[in-house]
Amino acid sequence: KAGVTQTPRYLIKTRGQQVTLSCSPISGHRSVSWYQQTPGQGLQFLFEYFSETQRNKGNFPGRFSGRQFSNSRSEMNVSTLELGDSALYLCASSQIRGADTQYFGPGTRLTVL
Amino acid sequence: GENVEQHPSTLSVQEGDSAVIKCTYSDSASNYFPWYKQELGKRPQLIIDIRSNVGEKKDQRIAVTLNKTAKHFSLHITETQPEDSAVYFCAASYSGGSNYKLTFGKGTLLTVNP
């Protein structure tokens, strides 16, 4: 099976702009989780989607949002970008919710200038 | 919510030595504990995981132990090789209810010197 894919791989934006990142899970996987990875904070949970519904959300401002489509593909959106949003955004998919192996995508490197 | 502490933040060993990374968690309801390895510029990859009904699990040179009473779990790598050099993350999650999510430790940079 093909692994988790993310597009784009690299993105440069300026403050105040918005950005949309895409994640395609492994075929058959219905749960998609998003994480922000920074050198200082490590891997921080953003949100999880399952069956097109957001099931859980981390401690991030409302500028961070997402959605999931009927084919389990997911997008996350960040509005009004701030310099501190520069990070590697990773998505991970799993077959089911709960104590199941999560497989990560390669990430999208977002740089906010 | 769950909090995962990971130590040490950096670890340097000689090739052939063993390496141990320790994590503690706060939520006694957590029941799934994966370990991920992330090489520079690459995605995190699962190397081993353990569930709360098991005390120890081994896979070749890698082992994980879990102490539910003390709420800590550890990764053991024996006969380390230069290709083991990477950042290792532990994580914990609770599979019940609607509040499922993986909480990660801050990571350990392991350097194996030839």
Side-chain angles (χ1 to χ4, degrees):
Chain A
K1 286 184 180 178
V4 180
T5 59
Q6 291 186 245
T7 57
R9 293 293 311 279
Y10 302 92
L11 211 47
I12 299 175
K13 293 286 187 178
T14 56
R15 280 182 300 174
Q17 287 187 309
Q18 75 165 21
V19 66
T20 298
L21 314 181
S22 180
C23 172
S24 292
I26 292 171
S27 177
H29 286 195
R30 297 171 62 194
S31 172
V32 174
S33 296
W34 288 89
Y35 298 88
Q36 181 193 66
Q37 186 174 29
T38 57
Q41 297 299 318
L43 279 156
Q44 291 190 290
F45 173 79
L46 280 156
F47 28 64
E48 185 221 357
Y49 284 86
F50 183 83
S51 294
E52 302 177 62
T53 302
Q54 186 181 93
R55 303 290 178 151
N56 199 1
K57 184 171 166 56
N59 296 324
F60 281 82
R63 299 185 298 106
F64 291 81
S65 63
R67 59 178 176 169
Q68 187 181 35
F69 302 93
S70 58
N71 61 358
S72 294
R73 189 177 71 84
S74 177
E75 289 182 347
M76 69 164 279
N77 184 76
V78 188
S79 62
T80 320
L81 284 167
E82 300 178 359
L83 295 178
D85 296 334
S86 293
L88 180 67
Y89 290 88
L90 292 158
C91 75
S93 76
S94 60
Q95 279 191 313
I96 58 174
R97 303 192 71 230
D100 191 29
T101 301
Q102 289 195 5
Y103 297 88
F104 281 85
T108 294
R109 172 74 62 186
L110 172 65
T111 301
V112 182
L113 302 175
Chain B
E2 174 66 278
N3 182 51
V4 178
E5 300 279 343
Q6 183 171 346
H7 298 280
S9 56
T10 61
L11 180 59
S12 181
V13 300
Q14 290 298 122
E15 184 177 358
D17 287 350
S18 294
V20 180
I21 302 170
K22 298 180 179 181
C23 289
T24 60
Y25 60 99
S26 60
D27 190 347
S28 56
S30 288
N31 57 3
Y32 176 61
F33 308 92
W35 286 88
Y36 285 85
K37 174 185 180 182
Q38 187 176 28
E39 297 176 58
L40 189 62
K42 297 191 175 181
R43 72 187 77 189
Q45 292 201 305
L46 179 77
I47 55 171
I48 196 166
D49 58 10
I50 192 168
R51 301 177 192 275
S52 59
N53 59 346
V54 176
E56 184 177 6
K57 185 177 178 180
K58 289 183 180 179
D59 183 4
Q60 299 182 344
R61 297 185 297 108
I62 293 172
V64 58
T65 58
L66 171 65
N67 184 326
K68 287 187 293 183
T69 303
K71 290 191 284 187
H72 68 69
F73 55 113
S74 300
L75 178 71
H76 304 253
I77 305 175
T78 59
E79 301 172 17
T80 53
Q81 301 167 2
E83 50 265 39
D84 294 329
S85 297
V87 178
Y88 291 81
F89 293 96
C90 63
S93 77
Y94 167 60
S95 64
S98 62
N99 204 31
Y100 165 69
K101 67 175 183 178
L102 267 181
T103 301
F104 285 86
K106 291 283 179 73
T108 296
L109 174 61
L110 172 65
T111 303
V112 180
N113 302 298

